[in-house]
Amino acid sequence: MTATQVIAPGWTASPSPLPVFEHRLAGYRRIWRGSVFSTFLLPVLFLLGMGISVGAFVNRAGELGVPYLDYIAPGLLASTALQVAIGETTWPVMSAFSWIRTYHAMRASPLRPKDLVGGETLFVSLRVGMSAVGFLIVMILFGTVHSWWGVAALPVALVVGAAVAGPVLAFAATIKSDNMFALLYRFAVIPMTLFAGVFFPVAEMPLVARWIAYASPLWHGVELCRAATLGWPPLLPVAAHVAYLAVWAIVGYLLACSRFAKKLTD
Amino acid sequence: MVTTLALPRLIARTQGSAGRIGAVTARDLAAVRHSGYWLVVISGFFEPVLYLMSIGVGVGGLVGDFTLADGSVVSYAAFVAPAMLAASAMNGAMAEATFNFFAKMKWVKLYDAMVATPLRPFEIALGELGWALIRGSLYSVAFLVLMVALGLTTAAWAVAALFASLLVGFAFGGVGMAISTLVRTWQDFDYIMVVQFGLFLFSGTFAPVESYPPVMRVIVEVTPLYQAVELIRDLTTGRLSWGSLGHAAYLVVVAVIGLAVAARRMNRILCK
Amino acid sequence: MPDEPLIHARGLVKRFGEFTAVDGIDVDVHRGEAFGFLGPNGAGKSSTMRMIGCVSPPTGGMLRILGLDPVRDGPQIRGRLGVCPQQDSLDPELTVTENITVYARYFGIPRRVARERAAELLEFVQLDERANDKVEPLSGGMKRRLTIARALVNEPELVLLDEPTTGLDPQARHLVWERLFRLRQRGVTLVLTTHYMDEAEQLCDRLVVMDRGKIVAEGSPRELIERHSTREVLELRFGEDALEIYTGKLAGIGERVEVLPDRILVYATDGDAAAKAVHDRQLSPSSVLVRRSSLEDVFLHLTGRTLVED
């Protein structure tokens, strides 16, 4: 220990995820316009198209207990968190491995694989947080937030982001062709968005589909967000939902660290 | 005498052209077999099916039966399904005509090699469109089979809808390529995607345009996806009218203009 | 008819906006020739090649390729040309063989014939063992050879090669040269651009030297050297001194003296005699080299600049 300290001058801090985070931030400054446009506008369009337009025809029986717009808005918040987190951990990560090879440059510095994973996760959290704040403001403007608990939807969005960022980082470090991302969207992201309780109650689906929805991280995020903005009690205790998402986040993080280490060692 | 000589020559020339267009499509068919791309292509079929199941059936459970403008009553799924077919024809064609086409032209420089052969830019555009249509019609056939199985349309109308969906793919393929020749950077595709998604949501897809605010309704009615949705919905619900012909004519015009612009711009980009 | 040139250009001009890339050149290339455009980067060689390849319409002047008009008869002419562009434009999504067979279809060559020809051509460019590999992992030299093979698939009457060995290592260059030499022996007409004088000397029967869009000399490599240079060149280096001071001290030795930033060239019929004369004047260069005159010297004499300016 003492020997290392003698060799390394004071300003050579021990490796940390921060420089990786800063790198992503520097890149994002150049492209934020298009990205804000798509990550903010898409859910708002969804909110208008489904919530208001279709909403006029939905729920005439009143079985949801709230207007359809209010019902899907928190669901869209959670699914936005998911979309943003996955968007930032797929093609950009593939590019840093194979195309621009940023990670290989980072690997030549004292940074460790877990710093790369940590830095990416930090950046994902920032992006998810930004999108969630923007969307929550829109939700308030449309009068869909019924309770002060609505603010709690923001940390929920961050947890959802972290829950999917880890596993997808691991996936991105494993696959050989970026064609696999298209499959990830088709067979995981889009089905989750459509069937994990965002647009209609999961209870309406047949049993098998229902249990697949329960297993998806998005459903837990949707339940928590809906509980927060509508002031409803969630189906399970809050701690159980959070714990389930935390397991995804932690296992995903560890998996990503080991996949990154493997990919950068050969 | 002149005509007897000119005609065979003209035929020989167009045959050559048709062969070259086919060769460009054949190139895409050869490429799709590699690197798992075929999985991406095949699995594209699931997207409209998932939307149909989620919005048409799932949300449809909350909507119940649906009264159309002319007073006829259909299930919500039967209302949404033709719109999903039209949207999937648009998305399939646009995926090839925007992102992939741009990559081939600006990044891989594939067309630089092609123009060094007897191929001309408009033949390249048509060949690429041929592949986009093959891809789109795979989705349309599968989706229509599903619709018939679910009782959302009849087999005879489904065949007619297949041709309509090819026309939709043709129109959006032309428009997509024209846009791609004008686009400068990858980031611009974010905007194209948002516009495409806006069209997907607001083209009378999930709710009839009659329910939109008047100003918005007028705007929606001039966009191509609305015309496509209406045409296909007329067919799958069996309510053909003169209006349907109007929708079809609109799409033909859009396709021709799109292709003409694309070929012109390609000529300028590739044959400087 | 047999004497009609394959390429016939008079006052050929290519402008991009204000910039004139090709400034009125006259060129005739005859059947069976190996013809070269020699010049530095930016001399207008690639623009000329693109006009000959019928992918870039001339701005002015007259151009006939195979006796046809490149603007009106583009597809017909291109069907009889083979083009090997400066940047490899291979299809990364296809295998080595498919790159040739798919390309063959653009010429209307039947599938079966395309497959046979692909096999022959891959053998010719020594890539038959990589036939089913993807293009991506191939080395630069292999990719260039594949591009050449692809350009030959339609049995072209005229093959255009734009900088065929730029960016290749010496071994890969020699392999490409050897294949092109075989093509020449088969009587294929070759037109190539290069900024390597050794490449021009190796491959060309006849060449033009281009500079800033104009042709500054024309002839066989030997003729050009005889006309614009001496038989031998004496290269002198003098440590780190400013070389200009030697201009006066060397006056009268050889026919002509050129001072470059790092060395002095003395043009003389007898290099050894010139070296002795330098020695007799009590000048002590740090290195002395006598060599034969090359096209580099021709270019230096014609333009006052070297070909490869790094």
PDB file of all heavy atoms in Angstrom, chain B residues 23 27 33-34 108 110 113-115 117-120 270-272, chain C residues 50 55-56 75 78-79 89 91-93 98 102-103 105-107:
ATOM      1  N   ALA B  23     -31.523  -7.927 -60.169  1.00  0.00           N
ATOM      2  CA  ALA B  23     -30.207  -8.276 -59.619  1.00  0.00           C
ATOM      3  C   ALA B  23     -29.940  -7.521 -58.321  1.00  0.00           C
ATOM      4  O   ALA B  23     -29.294  -8.042 -57.411  1.00  0.00           O
ATOM      5  CB  ALA B  23     -29.116  -7.973 -60.641  1.00  0.00           C
ATOM      6  N   ARG B  27     -29.391  -9.211 -54.681  1.00  0.00           N
ATOM      7  CA  ARG B  27     -28.276  -8.913 -53.774  1.00  0.00           C
ATOM      8  C   ARG B  27     -28.778  -8.854 -52.325  1.00  0.00           C
ATOM      9  O   ARG B  27     -28.158  -9.396 -51.414  1.00  0.00           O
ATOM     10  CB  ARG B  27     -27.640  -7.583 -54.174  1.00  0.00           C
ATOM     11  CG  ARG B  27     -26.480  -7.146 -53.321  1.00  0.00           C
ATOM     12  CD  ARG B  27     -26.916  -6.174 -52.244  1.00  0.00           C
ATOM     13  NE  ARG B  27     -25.995  -6.204 -51.136  1.00  0.00           N
ATOM     14  CZ  ARG B  27     -26.326  -5.886 -49.895  1.00  0.00           C
ATOM     15  NH1 ARG B  27     -27.533  -5.530 -49.596  1.00  0.00           N
ATOM     16  NH2 ARG B  27     -25.432  -5.933 -48.946  1.00  0.00           N
ATOM     17  N   ARG B  33     -29.300 -13.699 -45.748  1.00  0.00           N
ATOM     18  CA  ARG B  33     -29.038 -15.020 -45.186  1.00  0.00           C
ATOM     19  C   ARG B  33     -27.932 -14.993 -44.129  1.00  0.00           C
ATOM     20  O   ARG B  33     -27.771 -15.913 -43.361  1.00  0.00           O
ATOM     21  CB  ARG B  33     -28.663 -15.999 -46.298  1.00  0.00           C
ATOM     22  CG  ARG B  33     -29.858 -16.313 -47.203  1.00  0.00           C
ATOM     23  CD  ARG B  33     -29.504 -17.384 -48.185  1.00  0.00           C
ATOM     24  NE  ARG B  33     -28.516 -16.911 -49.149  1.00  0.00           N
ATOM     25  CZ  ARG B  33     -27.450 -17.601 -49.505  1.00  0.00           C
ATOM     26  NH1 ARG B  33     -27.229 -18.768 -48.977  1.00  0.00           N
ATOM     27  NH2 ARG B  33     -26.607 -17.108 -50.382  1.00  0.00           N
ATOM     28  N   HIS B  34     -27.143 -13.914 -44.132  1.00  0.00           N
ATOM     29  CA  HIS B  34     -25.982 -13.891 -43.242  1.00  0.00           C
ATOM     30  C   HIS B  34     -26.245 -13.138 -41.946  1.00  0.00           C
ATOM     31  O   HIS B  34     -27.153 -12.321 -41.857  1.00  0.00           O
ATOM     32  CB  HIS B  34     -24.787 -13.253 -43.965  1.00  0.00           C
ATOM     33  CG  HIS B  34     -24.383 -13.998 -45.193  1.00  0.00           C
ATOM     34  ND1 HIS B  34     -23.865 -15.268 -45.151  1.00  0.00           N
ATOM     35  CD2 HIS B  34     -24.441 -13.665 -46.496  1.00  0.00           C
ATOM     36  CE1 HIS B  34     -23.617 -15.671 -46.385  1.00  0.00           C
ATOM     37  NE2 HIS B  34     -23.968 -14.718 -47.224  1.00  0.00           N
ATOM     38  N   VAL B 108     -21.509   2.203 -46.321  1.00  0.00           N
ATOM     39  CA  VAL B 108     -20.877   1.041 -46.950  1.00  0.00           C
ATOM     40  C   VAL B 108     -20.442   1.378 -48.379  1.00  0.00           C
ATOM     41  O   VAL B 108     -19.608   0.712 -48.951  1.00  0.00           O
ATOM     42  CB  VAL B 108     -21.865  -0.150 -46.958  1.00  0.00           C
ATOM     43  CG1 VAL B 108     -21.179  -1.410 -47.401  1.00  0.00           C
ATOM     44  CG2 VAL B 108     -22.480  -0.347 -45.587  1.00  0.00           C
ATOM     45  N   LEU B 110     -22.076   1.006 -51.024  1.00  0.00           N
ATOM     46  CA  LEU B 110     -22.473  -0.102 -51.876  1.00  0.00           C
ATOM     47  C   LEU B 110     -22.869   0.367 -53.272  1.00  0.00           C
ATOM     48  O   LEU B 110     -22.544  -0.261 -54.272  1.00  0.00           O
ATOM     49  CB  LEU B 110     -23.675  -0.787 -51.220  1.00  0.00           C
ATOM     50  CG  LEU B 110     -24.009  -2.182 -51.660  1.00  0.00           C
ATOM     51  CD1 LEU B 110     -22.854  -3.098 -51.332  1.00  0.00           C
ATOM     52  CD2 LEU B 110     -25.258  -2.659 -50.943  1.00  0.00           C
ATOM     53  N   ALA B 113     -20.219   1.068 -56.012  1.00  0.00           N
ATOM     54  CA  ALA B 113     -19.815  -0.095 -56.809  1.00  0.00           C
ATOM     55  C   ALA B 113     -20.864  -0.406 -57.865  1.00  0.00           C
ATOM     56  O   ALA B 113     -20.543  -0.798 -58.980  1.00  0.00           O
ATOM     57  CB  ALA B 113     -19.600  -1.304 -55.904  1.00  0.00           C
ATOM     58  N   MET B 114     -22.137  -0.197 -57.518  1.00  0.00           N
ATOM     59  CA  MET B 114     -23.199  -0.554 -58.461  1.00  0.00           C
ATOM     60  C   MET B 114     -23.226   0.379 -59.673  1.00  0.00           C
ATOM     61  O   MET B 114     -23.477  -0.073 -60.786  1.00  0.00           O
ATOM     62  CB  MET B 114     -24.560  -0.521 -57.762  1.00  0.00           C
ATOM     63  CG  MET B 114     -24.758  -1.676 -56.799  1.00  0.00           C
ATOM     64  SD  MET B 114     -26.465  -1.708 -56.215  1.00  0.00           S
ATOM     65  CE  MET B 114     -26.401  -3.055 -55.041  1.00  0.00           C
ATOM     66  N   VAL B 115     -22.992   1.680 -59.466  1.00  0.00           N
ATOM     67  CA  VAL B 115     -23.084   2.581 -60.620  1.00  0.00           C
ATOM     68  C   VAL B 115     -21.909   2.405 -61.575  1.00  0.00           C
ATOM     69  O   VAL B 115     -21.937   2.934 -62.686  1.00  0.00           O
ATOM     70  CB  VAL B 115     -23.202   4.081 -60.229  1.00  0.00           C
ATOM     71  CG1 VAL B 115     -24.527   4.363 -59.566  1.00  0.00           C
ATOM     72  CG2 VAL B 115     -22.036   4.530 -59.378  1.00  0.00           C
ATOM     73  N   THR B 117     -21.287  -0.378 -62.825  1.00  0.00           N
ATOM     74  CA  THR B 117     -21.789  -1.428 -63.721  1.00  0.00           C
ATOM     75  C   THR B 117     -22.895  -0.806 -64.585  1.00  0.00           C
ATOM     76  O   THR B 117     -23.183   0.373 -64.431  1.00  0.00           O
ATOM     77  CB  THR B 117     -22.371  -2.598 -62.901  1.00  0.00           C
ATOM     78  OG1 THR B 117     -23.621  -2.178 -62.358  1.00  0.00           O
ATOM     79  CG2 THR B 117     -21.445  -3.003 -61.770  1.00  0.00           C
ATOM     80  N   PRO B 118     -23.526  -1.583 -65.464  1.00  0.00           N
ATOM     81  CA  PRO B 118     -24.579  -0.975 -66.289  1.00  0.00           C
ATOM     82  C   PRO B 118     -25.759  -0.413 -65.486  1.00  0.00           C
ATOM     83  O   PRO B 118     -26.626   0.254 -66.046  1.00  0.00           O
ATOM     84  CB  PRO B 118     -25.034  -2.136 -67.183  1.00  0.00           C
ATOM     85  CG  PRO B 118     -23.834  -3.009 -67.300  1.00  0.00           C
ATOM     86  CD  PRO B 118     -23.170  -2.931 -65.958  1.00  0.00           C
ATOM     87  N   LEU B 119     -25.820  -0.681 -64.170  1.00  0.00           N
ATOM     88  CA  LEU B 119     -26.938  -0.185 -63.363  1.00  0.00           C
ATOM     89  C   LEU B 119     -27.024   1.336 -63.370  1.00  0.00           C
ATOM     90  O   LEU B 119     -26.019   2.023 -63.271  1.00  0.00           O
ATOM     91  CB  LEU B 119     -26.758  -0.636 -61.913  1.00  0.00           C
ATOM     92  CG  LEU B 119     -27.265  -2.018 -61.555  1.00  0.00           C
ATOM     93  CD1 LEU B 119     -26.717  -2.431 -60.206  1.00  0.00           C
ATOM     94  CD2 LEU B 119     -28.780  -2.026 -61.515  1.00  0.00           C
ATOM     95  N   ARG B 120     -28.276   1.824 -63.422  1.00  0.00           N
ATOM     96  CA  ARG B 120     -28.498   3.260 -63.284  1.00  0.00           C
ATOM     97  C   ARG B 120     -29.174   3.526 -61.947  1.00  0.00           C
ATOM     98  O   ARG B 120     -29.851   2.642 -61.414  1.00  0.00           O
ATOM     99  CB  ARG B 120     -29.385   3.756 -64.443  1.00  0.00           C
ATOM    100  CG  ARG B 120     -28.582   3.902 -65.737  1.00  0.00           C
ATOM    101  CD  ARG B 120     -29.476   4.121 -66.909  1.00  0.00           C
ATOM    102  NE  ARG B 120     -30.174   2.893 -67.273  1.00  0.00           N
ATOM    103  CZ  ARG B 120     -30.963   2.787 -68.342  1.00  0.00           C
ATOM    104  NH1 ARG B 120     -31.166   3.822 -69.111  1.00  0.00           N
ATOM    105  NH2 ARG B 120     -31.545   1.646 -68.633  1.00  0.00           N
ATOM    106  N   LEU B 270     -24.338  10.067 -56.447  1.00  0.00           N
ATOM    107  CA  LEU B 270     -23.440   8.999 -56.899  1.00  0.00           C
ATOM    108  C   LEU B 270     -22.679   9.361 -58.161  1.00  0.00           C
ATOM    109  O   LEU B 270     -21.566   8.877 -58.385  1.00  0.00           O
ATOM    110  CB  LEU B 270     -24.237   7.715 -57.143  1.00  0.00           C
ATOM    111  CG  LEU B 270     -24.929   7.127 -55.921  1.00  0.00           C
ATOM    112  CD1 LEU B 270     -25.862   6.006 -56.335  1.00  0.00           C
ATOM    113  CD2 LEU B 270     -23.908   6.627 -54.926  1.00  0.00           C
ATOM    114  N   CYS B 271     -23.266  10.175 -59.042  1.00  0.00           N
ATOM    115  CA  CYS B 271     -22.633  10.471 -60.329  1.00  0.00           C
ATOM    116  C   CYS B 271     -22.239  11.942 -60.386  1.00  0.00           C
ATOM    117  O   CYS B 271     -22.711  12.691 -61.236  1.00  0.00           O
ATOM    118  CB  CYS B 271     -23.574  10.106 -61.478  1.00  0.00           C
ATOM    119  SG  CYS B 271     -24.074   8.389 -61.427  1.00  0.00           S
ATOM    120  N   LYS B 272     -21.393  12.346 -59.443  1.00  0.00           N
ATOM    121  CA  LYS B 272     -20.951  13.736 -59.384  1.00  0.00           C
ATOM    122  C   LYS B 272     -20.082  14.090 -60.579  1.00  0.00           C
ATOM    123  O   LYS B 272     -19.282  13.300 -60.996  1.00  0.00           O
ATOM    124  CB  LYS B 272     -20.139  13.990 -58.105  1.00  0.00           C
ATOM    125  CG  LYS B 272     -20.991  14.152 -56.879  1.00  0.00           C
ATOM    126  CD  LYS B 272     -20.123  14.667 -55.740  1.00  0.00           C
ATOM    127  CE  LYS B 272     -19.354  13.591 -55.063  1.00  0.00           C
ATOM    128  NZ  LYS B 272     -19.847  13.085 -53.840  1.00  0.00           N
TER     129      LYS B 272
ATOM    130  N   ARG C  50     -13.166   8.672 -63.281  1.00  0.00           N
ATOM    131  CA  ARG C  50     -14.615   8.589 -63.080  1.00  0.00           C
ATOM    132  C   ARG C  50     -15.361   9.001 -64.347  1.00  0.00           C
ATOM    133  O   ARG C  50     -16.426   8.466 -64.645  1.00  0.00           O
ATOM    134  CB  ARG C  50     -15.047   9.433 -61.881  1.00  0.00           C
ATOM    135  CG  ARG C  50     -14.725   8.751 -60.534  1.00  0.00           C
ATOM    136  CD  ARG C  50     -15.027   9.648 -59.341  1.00  0.00           C
ATOM    137  NE  ARG C  50     -16.409  10.133 -59.333  1.00  0.00           N
ATOM    138  CZ  ARG C  50     -17.450   9.434 -58.876  1.00  0.00           C
ATOM    139  NH1 ARG C  50     -17.269   8.224 -58.418  1.00  0.00           N
ATOM    140  NH2 ARG C  50     -18.650   9.955 -58.903  1.00  0.00           N
ATOM    141  N   VAL C  55     -19.389   7.463 -64.775  1.00  0.00           N
ATOM    142  CA  VAL C  55     -20.189   7.762 -63.599  1.00  0.00           C
ATOM    143  C   VAL C  55     -20.114   9.248 -63.271  1.00  0.00           C
ATOM    144  O   VAL C  55     -20.710   9.706 -62.314  1.00  0.00           O
ATOM    145  CB  VAL C  55     -19.762   6.948 -62.351  1.00  0.00           C
ATOM    146  CG1 VAL C  55     -20.143   5.500 -62.526  1.00  0.00           C
ATOM    147  CG2 VAL C  55     -18.283   7.089 -62.065  1.00  0.00           C
ATOM    148  N   SER C  56     -19.386  10.003 -64.065  1.00  0.00           N
ATOM    149  CA  SER C  56     -19.231  11.430 -63.804  1.00  0.00           C
ATOM    150  C   SER C  56     -19.283  12.150 -65.148  1.00  0.00           C
ATOM    151  O   SER C  56     -18.373  12.010 -65.957  1.00  0.00           O
ATOM    152  CB  SER C  56     -17.881  11.636 -63.115  1.00  0.00           C
ATOM    153  OG  SER C  56     -17.581  12.996 -62.998  1.00  0.00           O
ATOM    154  N   PRO C  75     -24.882   2.924 -69.586  1.00  0.00           N
ATOM    155  CA  PRO C  75     -25.016   1.515 -69.217  1.00  0.00           C
ATOM    156  C   PRO C  75     -24.337   0.568 -70.206  1.00  0.00           C
ATOM    157  O   PRO C  75     -23.691  -0.396 -69.814  1.00  0.00           O
ATOM    158  CB  PRO C  75     -26.532   1.304 -69.222  1.00  0.00           C
ATOM    159  CG  PRO C  75     -27.111   2.656 -68.985  1.00  0.00           C
ATOM    160  CD  PRO C  75     -26.168   3.617 -69.653  1.00  0.00           C
ATOM    161  N   ARG C  78     -20.541   0.849 -69.688  1.00  0.00           N
ATOM    162  CA  ARG C  78     -20.119   0.275 -68.406  1.00  0.00           C
ATOM    163  C   ARG C  78     -20.199  -1.251 -68.433  1.00  0.00           C
ATOM    164  O   ARG C  78     -19.461  -1.933 -67.724  1.00  0.00           O
ATOM    165  CB  ARG C  78     -20.968   0.836 -67.273  1.00  0.00           C
ATOM    166  CG  ARG C  78     -20.709   2.319 -67.021  1.00  0.00           C
ATOM    167  CD  ARG C  78     -21.257   2.757 -65.676  1.00  0.00           C
ATOM    168  NE  ARG C  78     -22.692   2.566 -65.557  1.00  0.00           N
ATOM    169  CZ  ARG C  78     -23.617   3.497 -65.819  1.00  0.00           C
ATOM    170  NH1 ARG C  78     -23.229   4.698 -66.196  1.00  0.00           N
ATOM    171  NH2 ARG C  78     -24.889   3.245 -65.690  1.00  0.00           N
ATOM    172  N   GLY C  79     -21.095  -1.773 -69.264  1.00  0.00           N
ATOM    173  CA  GLY C  79     -21.197  -3.221 -69.401  1.00  0.00           C
ATOM    174  C   GLY C  79     -19.935  -3.838 -69.989  1.00  0.00           C
ATOM    175  O   GLY C  79     -19.708  -5.037 -69.849  1.00  0.00           O
ATOM    176  N   SER C  89     -14.837  -1.108 -52.602  1.00  0.00           N
ATOM    177  CA  SER C  89     -16.264  -0.967 -52.334  1.00  0.00           C
ATOM    178  C   SER C  89     -16.902  -2.342 -52.336  1.00  0.00           C
ATOM    179  O   SER C  89     -17.907  -2.567 -52.974  1.00  0.00           O
ATOM    180  CB  SER C  89     -16.903  -0.066 -53.388  1.00  0.00           C
ATOM    181  OG  SER C  89     -16.664  -0.604 -54.666  1.00  0.00           O
ATOM    182  N   ASP C  91     -18.872  -5.663 -50.797  1.00  0.00           N
ATOM    183  CA  ASP C  91     -20.119  -5.755 -50.050  1.00  0.00           C
ATOM    184  C   ASP C  91     -19.865  -6.534 -48.758  1.00  0.00           C
ATOM    185  O   ASP C  91     -19.676  -7.746 -48.791  1.00  0.00           O
ATOM    186  CB  ASP C  91     -21.165  -6.466 -50.926  1.00  0.00           C
ATOM    187  CG  ASP C  91     -22.559  -6.337 -50.362  1.00  0.00           C
ATOM    188  OD1 ASP C  91     -22.690  -6.273 -49.117  1.00  0.00           O
ATOM    189  OD2 ASP C  91     -23.508  -6.286 -51.154  1.00  0.00           O
ATOM    190  N   PRO C  92     -19.849  -5.853 -47.605  1.00  0.00           N
ATOM    191  CA  PRO C  92     -19.459  -6.523 -46.361  1.00  0.00           C
ATOM    192  C   PRO C  92     -20.472  -7.558 -45.891  1.00  0.00           C
ATOM    193  O   PRO C  92     -20.158  -8.382 -45.039  1.00  0.00           O
ATOM    194  CB  PRO C  92     -19.365  -5.373 -45.350  1.00  0.00           C
ATOM    195  CG  PRO C  92     -20.279  -4.330 -45.881  1.00  0.00           C
ATOM    196  CD  PRO C  92     -20.231  -4.455 -47.386  1.00  0.00           C
ATOM    197  N   GLU C  93     -21.677  -7.517 -46.441  1.00  0.00           N
ATOM    198  CA  GLU C  93     -22.694  -8.468 -45.993  1.00  0.00           C
ATOM    199  C   GLU C  93     -22.635  -9.791 -46.756  1.00  0.00           C
ATOM    200  O   GLU C  93     -23.367 -10.710 -46.427  1.00  0.00           O
ATOM    201  CB  GLU C  93     -24.090  -7.853 -46.149  1.00  0.00           C
ATOM    202  CG  GLU C  93     -24.333  -6.721 -45.166  1.00  0.00           C
ATOM    203  CD  GLU C  93     -25.762  -6.210 -45.254  1.00  0.00           C
ATOM    204  OE1 GLU C  93     -26.033  -5.357 -46.107  1.00  0.00           O
ATOM    205  OE2 GLU C  93     -26.592  -6.684 -44.474  1.00  0.00           O
ATOM    206  N   GLU C  98     -19.830 -14.615 -53.271  1.00  0.00           N
ATOM    207  CA  GLU C  98     -21.052 -13.859 -53.557  1.00  0.00           C
ATOM    208  C   GLU C  98     -20.739 -12.444 -54.052  1.00  0.00           C
ATOM    209  O   GLU C  98     -21.481 -11.883 -54.864  1.00  0.00           O
ATOM    210  CB  GLU C  98     -21.932 -13.770 -52.304  1.00  0.00           C
ATOM    211  CG  GLU C  98     -22.686 -15.051 -52.010  1.00  0.00           C
ATOM    212  CD  GLU C  98     -23.386 -15.008 -50.664  1.00  0.00           C
ATOM    213  OE1 GLU C  98     -23.004 -14.192 -49.799  1.00  0.00           O
ATOM    214  OE2 GLU C  98     -24.311 -15.800 -50.458  1.00  0.00           O
ATOM    215  N   VAL C 102     -22.905 -11.960 -57.263  1.00  0.00           N
ATOM    216  CA  VAL C 102     -23.964 -10.952 -57.180  1.00  0.00           C
ATOM    217  C   VAL C 102     -23.652  -9.787 -58.122  1.00  0.00           C
ATOM    218  O   VAL C 102     -24.526  -9.289 -58.832  1.00  0.00           O
ATOM    219  CB  VAL C 102     -24.133 -10.469 -55.720  1.00  0.00           C
ATOM    220  CG1 VAL C 102     -24.964  -9.185 -55.672  1.00  0.00           C
ATOM    221  CG2 VAL C 102     -24.799 -11.541 -54.873  1.00  0.00           C
ATOM    222  N   TYR C 103     -22.383  -9.379 -58.140  1.00  0.00           N
ATOM    223  CA  TYR C 103     -21.947  -8.291 -59.020  1.00  0.00           C
ATOM    224  C   TYR C 103     -22.158  -8.664 -60.490  1.00  0.00           C
ATOM    225  O   TYR C 103     -22.574  -7.839 -61.303  1.00  0.00           O
ATOM    226  CB  TYR C 103     -20.476  -8.017 -58.738  1.00  0.00           C
ATOM    227  CG  TYR C 103     -19.914  -6.718 -59.265  1.00  0.00           C
ATOM    228  CD1 TYR C 103     -20.157  -5.520 -58.607  1.00  0.00           C
ATOM    229  CD2 TYR C 103     -19.094  -6.698 -60.389  1.00  0.00           C
ATOM    230  CE1 TYR C 103     -19.609  -4.330 -59.060  1.00  0.00           C
ATOM    231  CE2 TYR C 103     -18.539  -5.511 -60.853  1.00  0.00           C
ATOM    232  CZ  TYR C 103     -18.805  -4.333 -60.183  1.00  0.00           C
ATOM    233  OH  TYR C 103     -18.253  -3.159 -60.633  1.00  0.00           O
ATOM    234  N   ARG C 105     -24.443 -10.363 -61.758  1.00  0.00           N
ATOM    235  CA  ARG C 105     -25.850 -10.243 -62.146  1.00  0.00           C
ATOM    236  C   ARG C 105     -26.190  -8.828 -62.624  1.00  0.00           C
ATOM    237  O   ARG C 105     -27.114  -8.649 -63.403  1.00  0.00           O
ATOM    238  CB  ARG C 105     -26.768 -10.634 -60.978  1.00  0.00           C
ATOM    239  CG  ARG C 105     -26.566 -12.053 -60.484  1.00  0.00           C
ATOM    240  CD  ARG C 105     -27.132 -13.077 -61.436  1.00  0.00           C
ATOM    241  NE  ARG C 105     -28.578 -12.930 -61.563  1.00  0.00           N
ATOM    242  CZ  ARG C 105     -29.265 -13.251 -62.652  1.00  0.00           C
ATOM    243  NH1 ARG C 105     -28.645 -13.726 -63.703  1.00  0.00           N
ATOM    244  NH2 ARG C 105     -30.561 -13.079 -62.685  1.00  0.00           N
ATOM    245  N   TYR C 106     -25.435  -7.834 -62.127  1.00  0.00           N
ATOM    246  CA  TYR C 106     -25.689  -6.452 -62.570  1.00  0.00           C
ATOM    247  C   TYR C 106     -25.366  -6.297 -64.058  1.00  0.00           C
ATOM    248  O   TYR C 106     -25.801  -5.356 -64.700  1.00  0.00           O
ATOM    249  CB  TYR C 106     -24.846  -5.448 -61.765  1.00  0.00           C
ATOM    250  CG  TYR C 106     -25.057  -5.510 -60.277  1.00  0.00           C
ATOM    251  CD1 TYR C 106     -24.032  -5.161 -59.396  1.00  0.00           C
ATOM    252  CD2 TYR C 106     -26.271  -5.911 -59.730  1.00  0.00           C
ATOM    253  CE1 TYR C 106     -24.219  -5.209 -58.032  1.00  0.00           C
ATOM    254  CE2 TYR C 106     -26.454  -5.977 -58.366  1.00  0.00           C
ATOM    255  CZ  TYR C 106     -25.424  -5.619 -57.522  1.00  0.00           C
ATOM    256  OH  TYR C 106     -25.602  -5.676 -56.176  1.00  0.00           O
ATOM    257  N   PHE C 107     -24.539  -7.227 -64.587  1.00  0.00           N
ATOM    258  CA  PHE C 107     -24.187  -7.189 -66.008  1.00  0.00           C
ATOM    259  C   PHE C 107     -25.092  -8.108 -66.818  1.00  0.00           C
ATOM    260  O   PHE C 107     -24.878  -8.285 -68.008  1.00  0.00           O
ATOM    261  CB  PHE C 107     -22.732  -7.621 -66.206  1.00  0.00           C
ATOM    262  CG  PHE C 107     -21.738  -6.657 -65.618  1.00  0.00           C
ATOM    263  CD1 PHE C 107     -21.338  -6.767 -64.307  1.00  0.00           C
ATOM    264  CD2 PHE C 107     -21.221  -5.624 -66.389  1.00  0.00           C
ATOM    265  CE1 PHE C 107     -20.435  -5.870 -63.767  1.00  0.00           C
ATOM    266  CE2 PHE C 107     -20.316  -4.728 -65.854  1.00  0.00           C
ATOM    267  CZ  PHE C 107     -19.919  -4.849 -64.537  1.00  0.00           C
TER     268      PHE C 107
END
